[in-house]
Amino acid sequence: HVQLVESGGGSVQAGGSLRLSCAASGFTYSSNCMGWFRQAPGKEREGVATANINGVRTYYADSVKGRFTISRDNAKKTVYLEMNSLKPEDTAVYYCAAIMGSYCSSVIRRADFRYWGKGTQVTVS
C-alpha cells in the first residue's frame, strides 16, 4: 500500500535551516507529482511546494519563494524540502503528499493530492 514517511523536522531559531525528507513506497513514485503542505495550529492546511516527475518544474507558495527548495531523487523514491531563512510563521506540521498522476498544477491545491504522510513538526522560535 502507499506510504509516505516524513522526517527531518525539529526546532530551530529564526534564520536557521532545516531539510525535510519524505520516503515514498507502494506506488510508481517516478510517475507522480509530489508536494509539501503545512498546517499551523488553528489554520487551514496550505500548499508549500510541488515538483513534477523529474523535479525540473517546481511551484511554490509566495510565502516561501526564495527560501524553500523542493527536490526529488527518483532512484531513492524520496522528495526533499530544503528550508532556509526560517521564520516563526513557518512553524507548522509539514506533510508530504502525492498526486496519482504526473501533472503538477501551478496552483497548489490540497484536493488534487490523494496520498498523505503523517507529518513532521517544524518549530521556529
Side-chain angles (χ1 to χ4, degrees), residues 19-82:
R19 188 194 197 202
L20 305 183
S21 299
C22 171
S25 62
F27 64 103
T28 309
Y29 168 83
S30 59
S31 299
N32 297 90
C33 169
M34 298 295 296
W36 286 96
F37 286 73
R38 67 184 181 186
Q39 188 166 15
K43 294 189 176 181
E44 295 288 321
R45 191 171 299 188
E46 63 172 347
V48 175
T50 60
N52 75 331
I53 57 175
N54 58 14
V56 172
R57 186 164 294 178
T58 57
Y59 299 104
Y60 296 92
D62 288 343
S63 58
V64 306
K65 280 180 183 176
R67 300 188 299 121
F68 290 12
T69 303
I70 187 172
S71 61
R72 59 190 295 168
D73 184 332
N74 288 347
K76 294 182 179 180
K77 296 187 178 182
T78 302
V79 61
Y80 305 97
L81 186 68
E82 184 78 34

Side-chain angles (χ1 to χ4, degrees), residues 2 4 26-29 31-34 97-103 112-115:
V2 174
L4 298 172
F27 64 103
T28 309
Y29 168 83
S31 299
N32 297 90
C33 169
M34 298 295 296
I99 287 179
M100 287 297 103
S102 61
Y103 176 69
D112 291 342
F113 288 78
R114 180 173 179 183
Y115 296 108

Side-chain angles (χ1 to χ4, degrees), residues 76-96:
K76 294 182 179 180
K77 296 187 178 182
T78 302
V79 61
Y80 305 97
L81 186 68
E82 184 78 34
M83 305 185 295
N84 298 314
S85 302
L86 282 162
K87 305 174 182 180
E89 51 263 44
D90 294 317
T91 296
V93 177
Y94 283 72
Y95 298 90
C96 174

